[in-house]
Amino acid sequence: MTADVLTAHTDVIPVKEADPRVRRLRDDADRAWAIADGHRTLAAEIETKGEADAFHRAKTQRLLGEVSAHHGFAYHELANAAEARSGAKSHPRESPQWRLLIDRSFTAIRRAEAHHERAAAFSARTAGDEAAARRHELAAKEADRRATESLTETS
């Protein structure tokens, strides 16, 4: 999972969230996570009612929660990318600090892509399209690999 990827420690101080794009993306991530929590809560409520189709309805709500959570992670990574790009503007182009921040933004974009692909895999699996789910999972692994490679290149 991309949340387990460590970022390289540097002395570059990230820019405060003055950029409205960063704040909007973080708000979108918070909304997606709130929706995911809502789906999970609804799944728990459905299970406790003990209706005939409760298992399938709860399972659907859990899958929707997973999709929403991955979208939240994708928005969060896009906010990280926007924040890094915003920070890069304060450094001379092609300077080591500028390069580091631009590389961080590309890494964050790749991690966002991985989360998007995981969400698509959950959706495909829910729709019963196992082949599409496997394709999306492979694409997520590839995006994770590229993010890890770009991260190790900048360390």
Side-chain angles (χ1 to χ4, degrees):
M1 184 166 177
T2 58
D4 296 335
V5 175
L6 297 174
T7 56
H9 174 71
T10 62
D11 294 331
V12 177
I13 299 170
V15 172
K16 301 274 190 241
E17 289 187 18
D19 190 341
R21 292 174 297 178
V22 173
R23 182 74 254 150
R24 181 183 52 82
L25 288 165
R26 296 237 188 264
D27 289 345
D28 289 343
D30 290 341
R31 277 191 289 279
W33 286 327
I35 290 168
D37 287 342
H39 283 296
R40 291 177 184 131
T41 301
L42 184 57
E45 289 172 6
I46 289 170
E47 284 181 337
T48 59
K49 290 181 182 177
E51 296 173 4
D53 62 343
F55 174 78
H56 294 291
R57 289 178 46 222
K59 181 179 175 182
T60 300
Q61 290 302 317
R62 276 201 190 78
L63 288 171
L64 290 171
E66 286 298 316
V67 170
S68 297
H70 280 296
H71 283 301
F73 284 120
Y75 279 122
H76 179 71
E77 291 296 350
L78 291 174
N80 289 344
E83 186 176 43
R85 292 282 172 116
S86 181
K89 291 177 185 176
S90 65
H91 298 284
R93 192 172 180 86
E94 302 299 330
S95 69
Q97 296 89 355
W98 181 87
R99 280 192 178 283
L100 177 67
L101 290 168
I102 294 300
D103 288 343
R104 281 184 181 175
S105 74
F106 282 123
T107 299
I109 290 168
R110 290 179 182 116
R111 287 191 306 249
E113 179 185 1
H115 283 295
H116 172 73
E117 291 294 344
R118 282 190 191 89
F122 274 105
S123 295
R125 188 161 284 119
T126 302
D129 191 351
E130 193 60 36
R134 281 193 299 276
R135 283 193 307 273
H136 287 296
E137 286 170 349
L138 287 173
K141 285 180 184 177
E142 176 63 18
D144 275 336
R145 185 191 61 75
R146 290 189 332 229
T148 303
E149 282 179 1
S150 68
L151 183 64
T152 55
E153 290 171 4
T154 60
S155 328

